[in-house]
């Protein structure tokens, strides 16, 4: 089994958002796909560790904002590497309310979705829902995950190490190895400094995972 | 609601295959995504009208072959526009057996998957399964759905009409309108000739749908 095969799957880059009472929440996801045309339905896969997951499960509603190649990449840092538990991601990000749900403004298109079914997949839940409304916001090219890695991070997808590949390589020393979950940069050392910033993609220490 | 928003979602192009006793079957799908890393799992959405759907439901196993930009586009015609009910798609397509499942050879990578859960989504079923094996076959760029439309068909995604967009436009005459489900070409007439061939992408009449 060569898990690099997983990197050949193609994805977009999405902000999945929900409304927790008066508070908008959201996270970044790659796993979204249309399931049926009639009625129009979409499925997303969300990690149970994300605060947004708990809000979707409670409210049975979410929105998807499709990022474009023109979208400010800082949105990925804000929505992908902070938790809505601690931070209000929407103070620095332009958004609007649609059907009671927050959608971002600097995007290609948005959907509002009412959950009809969900599938427990262990670490993640697959939420399937009916699209209640959707609009196009820009004709910019939708951002793909491959574009994000290749262009925004200035690295080629082929060369980009990932936790899957890296964890399969024997450790070259007895030091711990931490991988940036965004760009694949590897830090080696006894521990990762809490103020560490990825030299490649400028993500904070919280974006790193210990390779085991 | 502007259903063009659906065209901003990003997908790859995949052959989803299964084994019906001694007979390999398969179809083209865009809707595949990794759901979890541990265990490695993947979900696909398959139309219930596809013969491959019935075989997956019976055998609880399927394989995914990821097409690349170098893959012979004829594979899409073979797997996307014939039914395994009538045609043996594998007589003209190089393949090999992996874990009892057929995978194509002219591809980026393949997965074999054992179904663990499924979700009935009306016209489609979402099959979720554990990846039992996977291998990379080429470093060619994975084919995206956008690439397929933009490059292989010589049309820009922005200009490409689709059944969703077209069906929302008022009919310009009392004639029937048929859309090529591959490239979006519109044929107008009282009926679509059975020997009609799409002038853009060379698909047969069976690839057309009546716009209602």
């Amino acid at each position: 089994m060569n898990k690099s095969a997983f990197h050949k799957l193609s994805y977009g880059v999405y902000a999945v958002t929900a409304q927790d009472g008066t508070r908008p929440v959201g996270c970044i996801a790659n796993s979204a796909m249309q399931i049926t045309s009639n009625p129009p339905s979409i499925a997303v896969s969300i990690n149970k560790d994300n605060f947004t997951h708990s809000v979707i499960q409670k409210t049975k509603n979410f929105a998807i904002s499709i990022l474009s190649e023109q979208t400010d990449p800082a949105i990925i840092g804000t929505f992908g590497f902070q938790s809505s538990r601690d931070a209000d991601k929407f103070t620095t990000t332009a958004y609007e309310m649609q059907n009671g749900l927050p959608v971002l403004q600097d995007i290609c298109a948005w959907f509002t979705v009412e959950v009809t079914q969900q599938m427990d997949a262990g670490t993640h839940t697959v939420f399937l829902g009916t699209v209640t409304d959707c609009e196009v916001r820009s004709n910019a090219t939708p951002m793909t995950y491959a574009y994000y890695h290749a262009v925004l991070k200035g690295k080629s997808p082929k060369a980009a190490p990932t936790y899957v590949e890296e964890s399969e390589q024997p450790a070259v020393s007895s030091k711990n190895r931490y991988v940036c979950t965004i760009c694949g940069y590897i830090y080696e050392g006894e521990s990762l400094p809490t103020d560490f910033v990825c030299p490649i993609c400028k993500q904070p220490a919280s974006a790193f995972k210990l390779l085991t």
Side-chain angles (χ1 to χ4, degrees), chain A:
Chain A
M1 181 180 288
N2 177 357
K3 288 187 179 172
S4 303
F6 283 98
H7 309 142
K8 308 288 185 182
L9 293 162
S10 296
Y11 301 99
V13 182
Y14 311 109
V16 176
T17 52
Q19 183 73 2
D20 188 22
T22 59
R23 187 160 165 261
V25 300
C27 60
I28 294 290
N30 297 112
S31 306
M33 59 188 188
Q34 182 173 5
I35 302 297
T36 61
S37 293
N38 187 19
S41 68
I42 284 185
V44 294
S45 173
I46 304 290
N47 194 306
K48 291 179 181 175
D49 288 341
N50 285 342
F51 186 71
T52 305
H53 180 281
S54 64
V55 178
I56 296 174
Q57 220 161 23
K58 185 170 65 179
T59 63
K60 305 294 183 203
N61 278 276
F62 64 90
I64 297 174
S65 295
I66 303 179
L67 307 196
S68 83
E69 293 183 358
Q70 308 305 317
T71 299
D72 181 355
I75 287 180
I76 298 176
T78 302
F79 281 80
F81 289 91
Q82 298 179 49
S83 172
S84 289
R85 275 184 199 87
D86 317 312
D88 184 349
K89 302 177 178 183
F90 294 82
T91 53
T92 54
T93 308
Y95 75 104
E96 64 195 42
M97 296 301 287
Q98 296 287 350
N99 298 321
L101 291 161
V103 299
L104 308 191
Q105 291 187 329
D106 180 17
I107 59 171
C108 278
W110 57 261
F111 302 87
T112 52
V113 185
E114 192 177 337
V115 174
T116 53
Q117 290 184 66
Q118 62 185 70
M119 193 156 59
D120 185 337
T123 55
H124 289 63
T125 299
V126 180
F127 293 104
L128 171 68
T130 303
V131 172
T132 51
D133 201 1
C134 56
E135 290 298 340
V136 172
R137 280 288 178 257
S138 140
N139 281 321
T141 304
M143 187 188 292
T144 62
Y145 195 59
Y147 175 90
Y148 174 67
H149 273 279
V151 180
L152 292 186
K153 299 305 166 192
K155 297 189 73 173
S156 99
K158 183 181 164 190
T162 72
Y163 78 100
V164 175
E165 285 173 273
E166 289 296 329
S167 66
E168 291 174 338
Q169 293 175 9
V172 293
S173 75
S174 60
K175 288 180 178 172
N176 288 316
R177 303 169 81 229
Y178 299 84
V179 62
C180 175
T181 54
I182 283 297
C183 76
Y185 175 82
I186 303 286
Y187 173 90
E188 289 191 331
E190 284 188 22
S191 67
L192 185 73
T194 53
D195 60 352
F196 190 75
V197 172
C198 177
I200 304 294
C201 72
K202 314 303 176 198
Q203 294 295 332
S206 59
F208 281 71
K209 278 188 188 175
L210 177 63
L211 292 175
T212 53

